[in-house]
Amino acid sequence: MSAFVTDGPLDPNPAARPPEAAAAPPSELPLTGERTIPGLDVENYWFRRHEVVYLRLAPLCADREVLEAGFGEGYGADLLAGVARRVIGVDYDESAVAHVRARYPKVQAHHGNLAELPLADASVDVVVNFQVIEHLWDQSQFVAECLRVLRPGGTLLMSTPNRVTFTPGSDTPINPFHTRELNAAELTELLVDGGFTMRSMSGVFHGAALRALDAKHGGSIIEAQIARALADAPWPAELLADVAAVTSADFDLLDADEADIDASLDLVAIAVRP
């Protein structure tokens, strides 16, 4: 995968960004199934499932220089920009870069390849990579790039679907956008072999309200949503209302001493560059 950057190297001391009031109207990103978009009732479950990780880990970005590698729609980078000293975003999708520049002016959005990040060595304090590693063809190369751009003692925050529960019983991802999914042991091995020291491995789980919805919708609110999407038919009003009402607080983020990580929905790793 060849590396490319349309904007040139990132300036470590950028000029002041334009105020939010001067930002262009937000552009529209299509719902592709690859990235999560906020504000859509049918997408709300997945949005909240991702949002909870940003909310819980945002304090680790407070007053730090942060890179989000693969920012998608950009809502997460914008959330982190509310606490960080600076948030740089790099994404391979030019339409996503244009969208973020228009909608989230607090984020420095740049077009680039995650296999060769357009940042200098030891230039950021935190790298955020949520729900992205499973899309990459060369995961080890990306981890090496994270190590390179982090300052000594810097932190890598990573989340990814848990292969054990996302694609049970198979090494072949069910999601056509995924190249390789990981379980907790594989994610740990990837990061440690890449030079990082593991600080923690936790998992995203359904809380009490979502477990009640699982029971209400035939055992799995996830499967109920997938069935409607595959049927390409209108959603039942009750299912749509239940999905639209999900909040980030309906998910639990639990450590290995609190729950079986192999039973989690998503894995959340915190690792440190020595």
Side-chain angles (χ1 to χ4, degrees):
M1 187 186 295
S2 62
F4 63 90
V5 184
T6 60
D7 301 310
L10 300 186
D11 184 353
N13 295 297
R17 306 183 193 93
E20 290 190 42
S27 57
E28 293 297 326
L29 285 179
L31 184 61
T32 64
E34 181 178 13
R35 61 179 163 238
T36 299
I37 295 178
L40 297 177
D41 49 7
V42 297
E43 188 71 4
N44 184 59
Y45 168 87
W46 300 100
F47 167 63
R48 299 302 180 186
R49 179 166 150 179
H50 295 177
E51 181 188 45
V52 66
V53 181
Y54 282 101
L55 291 170
R56 291 287 296 272
L57 271 57
L60 297 177
C61 299
D63 199 32
R64 314 293 282 174
E65 291 192 282
V66 177
L67 164 68
E68 180 159 25
F71 49 69
E73 193 274 341
Y75 67 86
D78 186 63
L79 185 155
L80 298 177
V83 300
R85 183 183 314 143
R86 178 165 68 121
V87 174
I88 302 162
V90 174
D91 202 279
Y92 192 78
D93 186 335
E94 290 180 277
S95 66
V97 174
H99 173 82
V100 169
R101 286 174 175 169
R103 186 166 186 174
Y104 303 117
K106 290 187 293 184
V107 178
Q108 284 185 266
H110 295 264
H111 181 214
N113 192 326
L114 303 193
E116 192 170 340
L117 292 167
L119 278 78
D121 295 356
S123 57
V124 294
D125 303 304
V126 181
V127 173
V128 173
N129 182 247
F130 292 162
Q131 305 295 318
V132 173
I133 189 75
E134 67 276 4
H135 296 271
L136 303 183
W137 288 102
D138 194 339
Q139 296 176 347
S140 296
Q141 171 63 20
F142 170 65
V143 171
E145 281 293 278
C146 293
L147 192 78
R148 179 184 67 79
V149 302
L150 278 168
R151 296 175 178 129
T155 304
L156 172 61
L157 309 178
M158 183 177 287
S159 74
T160 188
N162 178 11
R163 177 173 62 80
V164 177
T165 57
F166 199 82
T167 307
S170 175
D171 290 333
T172 302
I174 192 172
N175 186 320
F177 296 107
H178 293 180
T179 61
R180 179 197 176 206
E181 295 169 356
L182 303 160
N183 63 26
E186 291 162 345
L187 179 55
T188 298
E189 181 180 30
L190 177 69
L191 298 181
V192 171
D193 286 353
F196 284 91
T197 299
M198 290 298 297
R199 176 172 160 187
S200 68
M201 178 72 71
S202 54
V204 175
F205 295 83
H206 281 179
L210 278 167
R211 292 195 299 271
L213 288 182
D214 283 332
K216 178 180 177 180
H217 292 282
S220 172
I221 188 70
I222 299 172
E223 294 300 327
Q225 294 176 80
I226 292 173
R228 299 319 303 166
L230 293 177
D232 193 24
W235 286 44
E238 188 174 32
L239 175 62
L240 185 58
D242 285 342
V243 168
V246 172
T247 73
S248 59
D250 293 327
F251 294 91
D252 292 331
L253 186 59
L254 303 175
D255 294 329
D257 59 351
E258 301 174 283
D260 178 8
I261 295 300
D262 286 337
S264 67
L265 300 167
D266 299 313
L267 303 169
V268 181
I270 301 176
V272 177
R273 178 191 166 177

